[in-house]
Amino acid sequence: MQEEIINLLKKGNKLPKDAIDETDNLDINQYSAAIQELGKKETEHIKSSEISKNLNTTYIGKDLYVYSEVNSTNTVAKFLSMQNVKNGTVIISEKQTKGKGRSGKNWESPLGGVWMSIIFKPNVEQSKFPFITLATGVAVAKTLEHVGIEQPEIKWPNDILIDGKKVCGILTESVSKSNIIENVIIGVGIDVNLETSQFPQELQQITTTIKEELGKEYDENLLIKIFLEEFEKISKLFNHEEYEAILKEWRKRSYTIGKTVEVKKPFNTNFDAYVLGIDRDGALIVEKNDGTIEKVISGECIVKN
Ligand code: BTN
């Protein structure tokens, strides 16, 4: 991560190009101050002033850092989360050069998408972690509904689909102390003003973009503002431990319940199962072909019908 942060500072002329050897002596507070300063510089497409205009939140997105290019907003967010930034701070970048997807995959992040990470400090037990991802999925789905998409759906645990095609991915990473989650980095990538032809061949048939769905571009700043408001609303349910209310919203938009899936497991122990529902811990409840019921707490599943 240190190398990525150094590269970011070099790009923003905060460090001389040959500074790599000298950075060992740089104080972490100096890095942090420089990164924060860079994130307050004017950017071309995504404008923090536009997002903040009429932003109706009390803590989410009150502090915004917007970059023209970073490796990954999750990496920058992880770094800043260790520097005493406020709960609800948001990192956005117009492009990512090394966007991270789930399971170590790359995430295509060209100009035109919304690539952002929220630093969330929930101070709750590890067992509540799945609800953060589920809640974020609901916030994205509700944002798409505002934007005019008719029936966005959520594929467990956290892909947002339109007519079965992926339009958004969420990558939550946590920093915990013993059993308590201190910081969660919630990375959200939404394919907004892009065309699927910009993606690698293998993704073109299984993804979509807001531009393609609406038949026109949508203002990215407005979309971010709506999302931050939706995220704050649902984060308050989380903060008040109203997990059932989050699940209710999630179930309404579920793409996965009632489908046959292949549950992906480590060491080639994948299995097919029918999805019965999601339980009060946020785990998927599935019935295997032999009739046994299993709880899937984390992982991925491929929908087969
Ligand atoms: C997935 O594989 O579905 C998760 C994709 C998450 C992408 C977002 S874009 C903003 C944030 N920064 C990253 O590097 N990844 C997440």
Side-chain angles (χ1 to χ4, degrees), residues 70-75 91 96 98-103 105-109 114-117 158-159 166 168-173 185-190 300:
V70 298
N71 293 359
S72 157
T73 55
N74 267 29
T75 305
I91 318 299
Q96 295 184 118
K98 224 167 149 191
K100 294 192 282 184
R102 280 162 54 88
S103 318
K105 291 188 194 137
N106 287 336
W107 182 259
E108 291 294 320
S109 320
V114 163
W115 324 121
M116 66 186 154
S117 302
N158 54 10
D159 286 350
K166 181 160 170 172
C168 165
I170 298 165
L171 178 68
T172 22
E173 302 183 88
I185 308 305
I186 307 170
V188 178
I190 312 177
E300 216 176 317

Side-chain angles (χ1 to χ4, degrees), residues 59-279:
Y59 76 109
I60 298 292
K62 285 293 177 197
D63 233 345
L64 275 178
Y65 295 96
V66 184
Y67 300 86
S68 52
E69 183 181 301
V70 298
N71 293 359
S72 157
T73 55
N74 267 29
T75 305
V76 176
K78 221 181 282 172
F79 177 78
L80 289 181
S81 74
M82 296 185 270
Q83 314 303 319
N84 271 338
V85 297
K86 282 195 231 137
N87 185 16
T89 297
V90 175
I91 318 299
I92 306 173
S93 187
E94 295 179 329
K95 269 196 240 166
Q96 295 184 118
T97 51
K98 224 167 149 191
K100 294 192 282 184
R102 280 162 54 88
S103 318
K105 291 188 194 137
N106 287 336
W107 182 259
E108 291 294 320
S109 320
L111 196 65
V114 163
W115 324 121
M116 66 186 154
S117 302
I118 302 175
I119 300 173
F120 186 48
K121 299 173 179 275
N123 235 334
V124 293
E125 284 175 16
Q126 273 288 353
S127 62
K128 300 295 179 259
F129 184 70
F131 290 103
I132 299 174
T133 306
L134 298 177
T136 308
V138 172
V140 173
K142 286 190 161 189
T143 303
L144 299 188
E145 287 159 17
H146 278 293
V147 157
I149 306 284
E150 260 172 36
Q151 247 194 333
E153 292 177 294
I154 313 171
K155 179 173 154 290
W156 186 88
N158 54 10
D159 286 350
I160 314 302
L161 312 181
I162 304 173
D163 281 332
K165 293 184 170 182
K166 181 160 170 172
V167 68
C168 165
I170 298 165
L171 178 68
T172 22
E173 302 183 88
S174 69
V175 181
S176 310
K177 215 182 226 170
S178 64
N179 191 30
I180 300 296
I181 315 174
E182 283 203 333
N183 287 311
V184 182
I185 308 305
I186 307 170
V188 178
I190 312 177
D191 296 330
V192 185
N193 295 324
L194 298 170
E195 283 168 21
T196 44
S197 56
Q198 290 174 261
F199 299 149
Q201 192 79 35
E202 67 276 12
L203 296 180
Q204 293 184 7
Q205 299 306 314
I206 54 171
T207 51
T208 188
T209 71
I210 292 184
K211 181 179 171 188
E212 285 183 358
E213 294 298 322
L214 295 179
K216 57 176 189 229
E217 298 209 333
Y218 193 88
D219 180 352
E220 292 156 45
N221 297 308
L222 180 57
L223 184 134
I224 295 169
K225 170 187 138 58
I226 298 170
F227 169 74
L228 297 178
E229 291 175 352
E230 284 301 335
F231 181 82
E232 174 159 305
K233 276 190 230 152
I234 202 148
S235 76
K236 287 186 173 166
L237 289 181
F238 180 87
N239 295 338
H240 295 127
E241 300 181 19
E242 294 184 44
Y243 305 120
E244 196 45 53
I246 296 173
L247 287 177
K248 195 170 153 209
E249 292 294 335
W250 192 92
R251 285 192 191 103
K252 270 199 249 172
R253 299 170 175 85
S254 166
Y255 177 78
T256 317
I257 298 172
K259 297 227 166 74
T260 301
V261 297
E262 180 185 359
V263 178
K264 297 197 89 178
K265 287 276 194 185
F267 314 115
N268 276 342
T269 49
N270 297 0
F271 60 86
D272 285 359
Y274 177 79
V275 181
L276 297 169
I278 188 161
D279 75 357

